[in-house]
Amino acid sequence: MKRALTAALAAMLLLSGCGKQTEQPSGLYYEASGIAPDAVLLTVDEREVPAARYFYWLTADCDYLVDQAAGEPDWSEDVGGQTLDEYVKDQALSSTVFYAVVESLAESHNCVLTAEDLAAMDEDWANQAAAAGGTDAYLAALSQKGLDQAGAQLFSADYYLYEHLRALSRADGSDLAPQDGAVATYAQAARLYTVDTLLFPNADLAAVARSELEKDPSLDPQTSKDGTYASVTAVPGDGTLSSAAESALAGLSSDQWSQPVETSAGILLLRPAPLDEDAAADLWFDAQMQNRAEQAQVTFSKEYDSFTTASFYKGVCTARRGAK
């Protein structure tokens, strides 16, 4: 069964927006909305997108909000001139459109899932199932999100297709590669920065390491025995680093380490570094893909206006209770 799934996955991805099932619609999304999961809910640059693809993102966004609010939020709350209900519906739409654009661009550039991709996806599945307490437990958890194994791996496939497109953006002569100077222009406009970071499990270890690094700035942070090193390249305020971490960098020279910054993962030390050009090129590509998604032509079926975020999520919760 597992071999059959992986062998068919590439074809499933290409067909995910096409065709109609003959059996009676069912599942979490249908119970929540009355819309068949395979019904075309929207079209992105002529690519038909089934309702299940959108409802996955809407369910995930609602679950996140409920988790953050420790209860169902006020869907009428104002969010930048929209109700929260409208905002969440649009956020789910943005994610759906983005990955539809990824899939279409992958097709047009002959990017397909390789044997290595499929093997990696199988390994990902096995690891996730083990972390959930076994395959049955993982499938039960996925069903609460409206997914089965095949549906979950379709979303996983998008990640691998995206990485194939990213690889093309690094290839000379590819139409996805940046023109001369494009990355530098983007980096300047976006105010990209690169920093060396060291993460420690507690403040005492961070203080000792900082003292040693101050005494000898030539020490290689990657050889730290107590801290975990990472090079980070980001846009200010994009959430890659906390606002406290970014503030700690203010006024530091390239050989200075910041004061310790407390994070949920541990104690962080940071040092400004020359811009990582490879990482900057990757962020440029991400920005180009986002621009493609924002410029995509999206049309909706009449069913798209038949539900609100609140009505859909109420249906999800009802269906979940009924499944227990």
Side-chain angles (χ1 to χ4, degrees):
M1 178 179 176
K2 184 177 179 183
R3 287 194 297 271
L5 172 68
T6 55
L9 192 54
M12 288 169 60
L13 181 63
L14 298 181
L15 295 173
S16 64
C18 306
K20 295 286 185 181
Q21 296 177 356
T22 57
E23 63 267 21
Q24 177 67 27
S26 62
L28 181 72
Y29 301 149
Y30 180 69
E31 292 182 45
S33 68
I35 300 171
D38 65 324
V40 174
L41 191 64
L42 59 137
T43 303
V44 180
D45 290 336
E46 301 184 357
R47 183 182 191 85
E48 294 182 339
V49 179
R53 302 286 277 180
Y54 173 82
F55 285 144
Y56 166 78
W57 293 110
L58 187 58
T59 301
D61 288 345
C62 289
D63 282 342
Y64 175 79
L65 272 178
V66 169
D67 181 63
Q68 293 298 302
E72 189 163 355
D74 177 3
W75 297 111
S76 65
E77 177 186 349
D78 180 76
V79 181
Q82 290 182 297
T83 65
L84 180 62
D85 191 295
E86 294 166 334
Y87 174 79
V88 174
K89 196 170 181 180
D90 282 351
Q91 289 298 109
L93 177 63
S94 295
S95 298
T96 306
V97 169
F98 182 85
Y99 286 103
V101 168
V102 168
E103 291 169 10
S104 293
L105 195 62
E107 287 178 20
S108 67
H109 285 75
N110 298 315
C111 294
V112 297
L113 297 173
T114 66
E116 290 78 11
D117 294 335
L118 295 174
M121 290 168 64
D122 280 344
E123 184 176 354
D124 292 341
W125 173 268
N127 291 337
Q128 290 157 358
T135 298
D136 289 344
Y138 189 39
L139 287 171
L142 286 176
S143 70
Q144 293 293 294
K145 301 177 183 297
L147 297 177
D148 55 14
Q149 183 171 357
Q153 291 202 303
L154 285 174
F155 285 99
S156 179
D158 282 345
Y159 165 80
Y160 288 91
L161 291 177
Y162 191 85
E163 290 307 305
H164 286 304
L165 292 171
R166 188 191 299 281
L168 282 179
S169 77
R170 299 167 178 158
D172 292 339
S174 169
D175 66 339
L176 297 181
Q179 299 295 316
D180 288 345
V183 173
T185 299
Y186 163 74
Q188 183 176 18
R191 298 186 295 120
L192 291 189
Y193 65 87
T194 297
V195 294
D196 294 320
T197 69
L198 279 171
L199 183 67
F200 297 88
N202 59 63
D204 290 340
L205 290 174
V208 170
R210 186 172 184 272
S211 177
E212 292 174 349
L213 290 165
E214 283 184 329
K215 291 176 182 177
D216 186 358
S218 67
L219 288 175
D220 184 355
Q222 298 186 55
T223 63
S224 172
K225 66 179 184 300
D226 296 314
T228 301
Y229 172 83
S231 174
V232 174
T233 301
V235 176
D238 69 357
T240 303
L241 292 177
S242 68
S243 58
E246 289 187 337
S247 297
L249 289 166
L252 296 181
S253 63
S254 60
D255 61 349
Q256 286 182 299
W257 287 87
S258 71
Q259 293 292 328
V261 178
E262 185 174 352
T263 74
S264 59
I267 306 299
L268 196 63
L269 299 179
L270 308 99
R271 179 179 68 177
L275 184 66
D276 183 329
E277 295 183 1
D278 289 338
D282 284 347
L283 289 174
W284 171 88
F285 174 72
D286 294 340
Q288 300 310 300
M289 292 297 295
Q290 191 61 52
N291 288 339
R292 285 177 182 268
E294 291 171 358
Q295 294 167 12
Q297 295 297 310
V298 182
T299 57
F300 302 93
S301 72
K302 65 181 185 298
E303 287 81 8
Y304 186 79
D305 291 325
S306 69
F307 62 90
T308 64
T309 300
S311 69
F312 173 77
Y313 195 62
K314 181 179 179 180
V316 166
C317 294
T318 300
R320 284 171 172 171
R321 287 194 294 269
K324 290 181 179 179

